[in-house]
Amino acid sequence: MTTLLEVTDLRTRFHTPEGTIFAVNGVSFSLAEGETLAVVGESGCGKSVTMMSLLGLIPIPPGEIVSGCALFHETDLLKSTEATMEHVRGREIGMIFQDPMTSLNPVLTIGQQLTEATIKHLGLSHAQATARAQELMEAVGISDPAKRLSDYPHQFSGGMRQRVMIAMALACSPSVLIADEPTTALDVTIQAQIVELVIKLREQLGMAVIWITHDLGVVAGIADRVAVMYAGFIVEEAHVDDLYEAARHPYTRALIAALPRADQRRGQARLKSIPGAPPSLYALPPGCPFAPRCEWVVDRCWAENPTLQPAATQHQVACWVDTTQEAGQ
């Protein structure tokens, strides 16, 4: 498959009165045409900051992109002008943000917000843009789209607002869709509907998807590959099946162990948790940032932070210990 996006050694920091926050620390990954890459990790691990850095959405100051390269159609997004990024955002890369209520403008109708991108990027007339907006609303499952275009965001439920955000992200038929925890604020039933909708639209449009989430349970049904982040680092990357069958990094293994299992009866086994807390990003430790919480920690972990290394075919892990052997697999 053709590579659409190639990110190398991305490092993003925030300079605050309290000190420098090391938010993203040398992240590298690729995305192929039509592929879905899930980026998984706890809140604050750098998932959203990574994607916002690529799209030029980091406020500078206090933010600073220290290093990195992000090739998209042979253009380095990190070195592009604002004019270039205005063309990329929405036209080439669409993004669904976490909270649709704060992402939508409360004083503009849904129709105004849905037609803006197609008028700007595709040069459609107002009538053509309105017709396109109705098609998009229908595609994401919103009934009576002609009438609902004149409504305001507060007149939609949370699930419907998220569908509007998906419609906006797809308005110009981008080749890449970034979904930043699009189901976080929704109940379980609506979450499942949104996931199924994105899967259906991805198959229909042939676009690549980056799905940002802290929920490994969602990943199994939507992703081709998974990148696991911790403290601003990617600590493991693998095909989704390989990750669930033979996770190598202690953090990934702990996340999977913490998932509820349908084959266990109620009360049969307690849910596992990960002890401790993520490190402060103001002062990263010299060694592996997961060492204080790791059950497989060895002396080398405290002194030196491992880099991603091949563990199997299309499987990389950043760990000094072979956890599969330690676990007796």
Side-chain angles (χ1 to χ4, degrees):
M1 291 187 292
T2 304
T3 299
L4 274 180
L5 177 65
E6 185 78 37
V7 179
T8 306
D9 195 34
L10 173 63
R11 298 175 186 270
T12 303
R13 299 173 184 171
F14 292 91
H15 304 287
T16 73
E18 292 76 24
T20 298
I21 301 173
F22 295 84
V24 179
N25 302 302
V27 164
S28 300
F29 66 89
S30 62
L31 181 71
E33 287 183 348
E35 180 185 37
T36 297
L37 171 68
V39 182
V40 180
E42 294 173 78
S43 296
C45 72
K47 307 183 300 294
S48 298
V49 174
T50 295
M51 303 308 156
M52 293 177 73
S53 298
L54 301 182
L55 293 178
L57 297 177
I58 296 296
I60 300 175
E64 179 190 11
I65 298 175
V66 179
S67 69
C69 177
L71 291 178
F72 178 68
H73 293 314
E74 299 183 356
T75 297
D76 187 352
L77 298 178
L78 302 182
K79 295 179 175 59
S80 296
T81 64
E82 181 58 26
T84 299
M85 293 308 301
E86 285 182 0
H87 173 77
V88 170
R89 292 192 294 259
R91 178 65 185 91
E92 300 289 344
I93 302 176
M95 187 161 184
I96 309 168
F97 294 93
Q98 290 187 32
D99 186 353
M101 194 63 224
T102 56
S103 300
L104 293 168
N105 191 321
V107 300
L108 296 180
T109 66
I110 294 299
Q112 289 174 297
Q113 297 182 66
L114 269 175
T115 56
E116 181 180 11
T118 53
I119 291 173
K120 175 179 176 61
H121 292 299
L122 304 182
L124 301 186
S125 66
H126 179 73
Q128 291 171 327
T130 300
R132 172 65 173 158
Q134 292 181 22
E135 292 175 4
L136 290 164
M137 298 238 330
E138 188 172 353
V140 298
I142 299 177
S143 58
D144 198 7
K147 177 179 179 299
R148 306 289 332 246
L149 284 177
S150 59
D151 288 343
Y152 289 85
H154 73 270
Q155 295 174 276
F156 287 72
S157 67
M160 288 296 106
R161 286 195 293 267
Q162 197 59 286
R163 290 172 185 266
V164 170
M165 287 298 301
I166 294 171
M168 290 176 63
L170 300 178
C172 299
S173 301
S175 54
V176 177
L177 175 67
I178 299 174
D180 187 2
E181 303 205 41
T183 62
T184 297
L186 308 176
D187 63 53
V188 176
T189 303
I190 304 302
Q191 284 183 21
Q193 293 176 1
I194 296 299
V195 170
E196 290 175 6
L197 174 61
V198 172
I199 292 173
K200 183 184 76 172
L201 293 171
R202 177 196 65 186
E203 292 172 350
Q204 289 178 349
L205 303 175
M207 62 186 175
V209 176
I210 298 176
W211 187 282
I212 304 170
T213 183
H214 61 270
D215 186 357
L216 265 175
V218 172
V219 168
I222 196 171
D224 299 307
R225 283 190 303 122
V226 184
V228 180
M229 286 192 69
Y230 187 80
F233 299 91
I234 291 180
V235 296
E236 187 162 10
E237 183 183 330
H239 187 275
V240 64
D241 292 337
D242 294 338
L243 192 85
Y244 281 93
E245 291 173 7
R248 302 297 185 105
H249 197 278
Y251 177 59
T252 312
R253 294 172 69 95
L255 287 178
I256 293 174
L259 287 174
R261 292 181 51 173
D263 60 349
Q264 287 183 339
R265 294 181 179 179
R266 184 176 181 180
Q268 188 176 24
R270 292 179 60 87
L271 287 176
K272 294 185 178 180
S273 61
I274 305 175
S280 168
L281 296 182
Y282 285 107
L284 289 174
C288 173
F290 190 65
R293 308 173 73 184
C294 181
E295 62 179 298
W296 284 289
V297 65
V298 296
D299 290 344
R300 190 178 185 184
C301 302
W302 299 106
E304 190 177 353
N305 189 15
T307 58
L308 280 174
Q309 299 294 329
T313 304
Q314 295 184 328
H315 193 149
Q316 299 182 88
V317 63
C319 186
W320 296 123
V321 179
D322 185 346
T323 57
T324 57
Q325 289 188 5
E326 291 290 329
Q329 292 187 357

